[in-house]
Amino acid sequence: MLARDLACAALGWAIALAYWVGASRLQRSMLSDEFGADGLPRGLAMLLAAVSTLIALRALWLARRVPPQPAALGPGLRLHAKALGGVAALGCLYLVLAPWAGYLIACGVLIYATALYYGAKPTPMLAAVSIGGAVFFWWMFARLLSVSMPAGFWPQLLG
Amino acid sequence: MSEAAIAWKVLTHSWAIPLAFVGVLWGIIGGALPGISASIAMALLLPFTFAMDPPTAIIMLASVYVGAEYGGSIPAILIRTPGNNSAMATVIDGFEMNRQGRGGEALGISLMSGFIGGLFGLAVLIVATGPLARFALSFTPPAYFALGVLGLSVIAGLSGRSLLKGLFAGLLGFLVATIGTDPVSGISRFTFDSPDLLSGVRPALVMLGLFAVTELMVQVIEPDWLKAEAAGARLKLPGWAMHKRLFRPNAIGAVVGTVEGVTPGAGGTVAALISYNEAKRWSKHPEEFGRGSPEGVAAPECANNVVTGTALVPLLGLGIPASNSSAILLGGLLMHGLTPGPMLFDKNPEVVYGLYGGLLVANLAMLVLGLAILTPSLWLVNRPKPYVLAFVFALVVTGSYAMQQSIFDVGLVLGFGALGYVMRWMGIPQLPMVLGVVLGFMVESNFRRSLVISGGDYAIFLKDPISVTLLVISAAIVIFSVRRELRAPSGGLAI
């Protein structure tokens, strides 16, 4: 838990510093009030840094007070990387594909790839479900709810 | 002619009843889809109501609102994806119950508490529109600031095992809320010259990322999403004993939903979160909250459905829309040449009393349609896990895109998903962060407006009676929550 708490504190300090620097670079406006556009972000950054410090101090204090426990059996770094990286990669695939190939294809590929990632077998059934799912979502959002979904290259191709 | 007779005539001499059912069904579908809020579902239907007679059109729009507020809880319970902001609190215990194979029970509780809440909200609307509308009018910027602080005060109760980490998450959310256009001077903050960030980060995007995308990641390392037992895969309505147990959280939800509903700008999200916190405080089993407590589902669901009635109080009483959804309803009224406000009761009683009758029908429709669709919904989420997760992912990216037709928003959701995963690893609770995002703008803008009004005098927050009252209640909530957590039997709160 010590490592996680210290990581949490480090994350807090990094975010607080980023916001503090960002706030100090904000332009001044003639319309600005006494508090200013930078007032709240600066205040919050200070608070976040203070809370992060307390989290770190508490972690160090607990580590001295409580005898070291045998490491709990949790997922290893590789599994964490697989979880985070895998879903992020699938999302990025959609982000790249949707504007270029259009919503229908991107959604179908996303369903197919995600199901494979979670252990489905690459069967014709999966392909059919992916196509059916993409058409269903397209019908629901684009047709029924009139949301303009990414069209991709299709309008140019079909004239 | 009496008010009831007018309502009866409106309902029976038009297509109002079938159209209320259609409206509720449309609302449930819209509410259950992330990215389609109640107001969007209503706005999409607005052109179709143009040719209808005014009472029927207003009934149909109000029915969409009722359906949408309820519909958000279905994906919140089944796939940890709140369909709308106000279903945020339902995720905590609803999804936990579903993980334990009690999804049918959670859905039954959410349906019944929503129904009770909807009827209570309607009763308040009928009985107390006049005095409550005047109460809503007395809210000033300091009072709105204090209302936001009241909402934030529940962070202490939502922090799980570490108050410091809850505070950490709340501050993160608050910082995210500062992204966008400054509410006073209008300059851009932390937008990196991106037009996509000018209007800030929508709370719904943060929620989709922190809840749904994070859960998709967690499913890779915690493959414990088991198929529910046959009994858990069926809708289970609460029995008499459960109704008795849920009386208190439902009552809390009803009171909080009434106060928050009539206050313009507060809405169902804040009502649901405060109700959850209060239900936990007053529960005989507070230790069950966060671990699949039926009371943790009932209180927020009752509260956000009460709001469907009470949010119409300022609209009908004063002509002031209290939320986006009531603004669409206002649009519907104006489209038919009706001016909401006190004169509406005299000039167009058929619209007002027809709406009362229509809301009653809409709540009954919610119950009937809920009973019809919940068992198939349970069946759907009990399909093989890879298929369910693939569809959840597709729904999340589609819903996040649909909000503003922006691919950038999809990227933001993925980013918040990754952040949520890291937060989970670090033991940081996610809900306080969402609360910070939801309330950050309201708190900051009203704090600074108050100071502009007072010329920088902070005493303005103590001069306004509503502000003082709310600030005192906030302080009391924080003190009680911290004391309760410190005294918790399970080792107490890790401050």
Side-chain angles (χ1 to χ4, degrees), chain B residues 56 87 89 100 112 119 124 126 145 174 248 306 319:
Chain B
T56 308
Q100 296 165 8
M112 287 313 295
L119 291 185
V124 172
I126 293 171
F145 163 73
F174 224 125
R248 190 178 296 182
V306 169

Side-chain angles (χ1 to χ4, degrees), chain B residues 93 157 245 276-277 279-291 293 295 484-485 488-489:
Chain B
D93 284 289
R245 182 179 170 185
Y276 181 85
N277 193 52
K280 184 179 177 184
R281 182 200 323 282
W282 297 102
S283 172
K284 288 178 182 167
H285 311 281
E287 73 285 354
E288 287 182 19
F289 278 70
R291 298 189 177 106
S293 166
E295 295 164 69
R484 180 190 61 206
E485 298 296 338

Side-chain angles (χ1 to χ4, degrees), chain B residues 141-210:
Chain B
Y144 278 114
F145 163 73
L147 187 67
V149 172
L150 177 67
L152 289 175
S153 67
V154 306
I155 283 179
L158 298 173
S159 296
R161 291 202 64 250
S162 171
L163 183 60
L164 274 178
K165 287 185 178 173
L167 201 56
F168 183 98
L171 287 169
L172 273 189
F174 224 125
L175 282 168
V176 170
T178 62
I179 296 171
T181 307
D182 176 50
V184 175
S185 65
I187 66 164
S188 303
R189 289 190 302 196
F190 314 115
T191 57
F192 307 101
D193 296 327
S194 161
D196 292 297
L197 287 172
L198 276 179
S199 56
V201 178
R202 288 177 167 235
L205 297 176
V206 181
M207 264 193 315
L208 278 177
L210 290 184

